[in-house]
């Protein structure tokens, strides 16, 4: 069961006493701000969680896997995520439990 | 953009909320996301992306100082996959300056 925006809004409602409409709006704005920053070309650093960076990749040759036809993969900008030390340490602890 | 800049930006868009509450709400969201991943539960945010864990199998590492072999246990690492909307929007300014 994945965590969704609805779950985050519920948490703001339960813990902070925002009303349901405010809570939903806040969660939407939160991700809107992150997306907006990345869209403007500005990386995002959330201490304790991780950094969202940007990388420009140049055009490279590609191939249609079905037809084998060669088609160039256009230059593009991609988002990268580097988890912070604290988050890494928190998720690592499950090593060996499966 | 840092967490405090994010808090400022949100506070200016949510003037009915006290800045302290905005700060608390941001910290609550980030903590809830961290907690979800540490419980091995995925995060799925439509229009932004999803976070999941990738498993790294055990391997033999090496102490760079002594050259000695060190067995390393398997572990999980967080992974982010940008959603379609984020991918498309971010790509609009490809080739322009990136602010780190």
């Amino acid at each position: 069961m994945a965590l969704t925006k609805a779950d985050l809004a519920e948490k703001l409602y339960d813990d902070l006493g925002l009303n349901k409409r405010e809570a939903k709006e806040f969660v939407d704005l939160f991700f809107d701000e992150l997306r907006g920053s990345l869209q403007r070309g500005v990386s995002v650093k959330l201490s304790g969680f991780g950094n969202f960076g940007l990388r420009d990749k140049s055009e490279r040759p590609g191939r249609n896997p079905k037809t084998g036809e060669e088609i160039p993969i256009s230059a593009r900008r991609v988002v990268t995520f580097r988890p912070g030390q604290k988050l890494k340490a928190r998720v690592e602890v499950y090593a060996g439990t499966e | 953009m840092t967490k405090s800049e994010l808090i400022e930006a949100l506070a200016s868009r949510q003037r009915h909320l006290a800045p302290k509450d905005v700060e608390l709400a941001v910290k609550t969201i980030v903590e809830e996301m961290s907690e979800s991943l540490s419980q091995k539960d995925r995060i799925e945010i439509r229009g932004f992306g999803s976070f999941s864990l990738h498993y790294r199998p055990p391997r033999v590492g090496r102490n760079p100082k002594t050259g000695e072999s060190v067995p390393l246990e398997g572990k999980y690492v967080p992974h982010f996959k940008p959603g379609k909307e984020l991918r498309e929007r971010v790509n609009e300014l490809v080739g322009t300056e990136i602010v780190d």
Side-chain angles (χ1 to χ4, degrees), chain A residues 9-28:
Chain A
E10 185 69 25
K11 186 76 181 167
L12 295 183
Y13 169 76
D14 287 343
D15 287 16
L16 271 69
L18 300 193
N19 70 41
K20 297 224 172 179
R21 187 187 50 78
E22 287 172 335
K24 182 182 180 297
E25 183 175 294
F26 192 91
V27 173
D28 281 336

Side-chain angles (χ1 to χ4, degrees), chain A residues 19-49:
Chain A
N19 70 41
K20 297 224 172 179
R21 187 187 50 78
E22 287 172 335
K24 182 182 180 297
E25 183 175 294
F26 192 91
V27 173
D28 281 336
L29 286 179
F30 176 90
F31 290 104
D32 196 50
E33 280 294 332
L34 300 189
R35 198 167 43 224
S37 180
L38 294 169
Q39 185 175 1
R40 292 191 300 275
V42 179
S43 61
V44 175
K45 296 175 187 181
L46 296 180
S47 61
F49 188 74

Side-chain angles (χ1 to χ4, degrees), chain A residues 8-9 13 15-17 31 38 40-42 45 52 61 64 67 69 74 87 92 97:
Chain A
L8 292 169
Y13 169 76
D15 287 16
L16 271 69
F31 290 104
L38 294 169
R40 292 191 300 275
V42 179
K45 296 175 187 181
F52 297 90
N64 180 327
T67 64
E69 184 193 1
S74 57
L87 180 63
E92 242 179 54
T97 57

Side-chain angles (χ1 to χ4, degrees), chain A residues 1-5 8 11-12 16 18 22 25-27 29-35 37-49 52 54-56 75-79 81 83 87-88 90-92 94-98, chain B residues 1-3 6 9-10 13-14 16-17 21-22 24-26 28-45 47-48 51 53 74-76 78 80 82 86 89-96 98-100:
Chain A
M1 257 260 310
L3 184 80
T4 63
K5 286 202 289 190
L8 292 169
K11 186 76 181 167
L12 295 183
L16 271 69
L18 300 193
E22 287 172 335
E25 183 175 294
F26 192 91
V27 173
L29 286 179
F30 176 90
F31 290 104
D32 196 50
E33 280 294 332
L34 300 189
R35 198 167 43 224
S37 180
L38 294 169
Q39 185 175 1
R40 292 191 300 275
V42 179
S43 61
V44 175
K45 296 175 187 181
L46 296 180
S47 61
F49 188 74
F52 297 90
L54 294 162
R55 278 177 78 160
D56 279 353
R76 61 194 60 202
R77 174 167 291 182
V78 296
V79 178
F81 176 67
L87 180 63
K88 279 205 264 185
R90 279 176 78 170
V91 308
E92 242 179 54
Y94 282 93
T97 57
E98 269 191 342
Chain B
M1 182 168 76
T2 61
K3 200 192 281 174
L6 170 64
L10 287 168
R13 289 176 77 177
Q14 294 281 277
H16 60 287
L17 297 179
D21 288 340
V22 172
L24 196 54
V26 165
T28 301
I29 291 174
V30 174
E31 170 55 28
E32 198 61 10
M33 290 171 66
S34 303
E35 183 56 24
S36 180
L37 287 175
S38 60
Q39 302 292 325
K40 268 207 208 151
D41 198 4
R42 300 166 48 81
I43 306 171
E44 285 176 12
I45 308 295
F48 186 74
F51 298 85
L53 296 184
K75 64 175 182 182
Y76 288 91
F80 175 63
L86 180 61
R89 292 231 215 150
V90 152
N91 200 32
E92 287 166 11
L93 287 184
V94 60
T96 63
I98 290 171
V99 182
D100 199 21

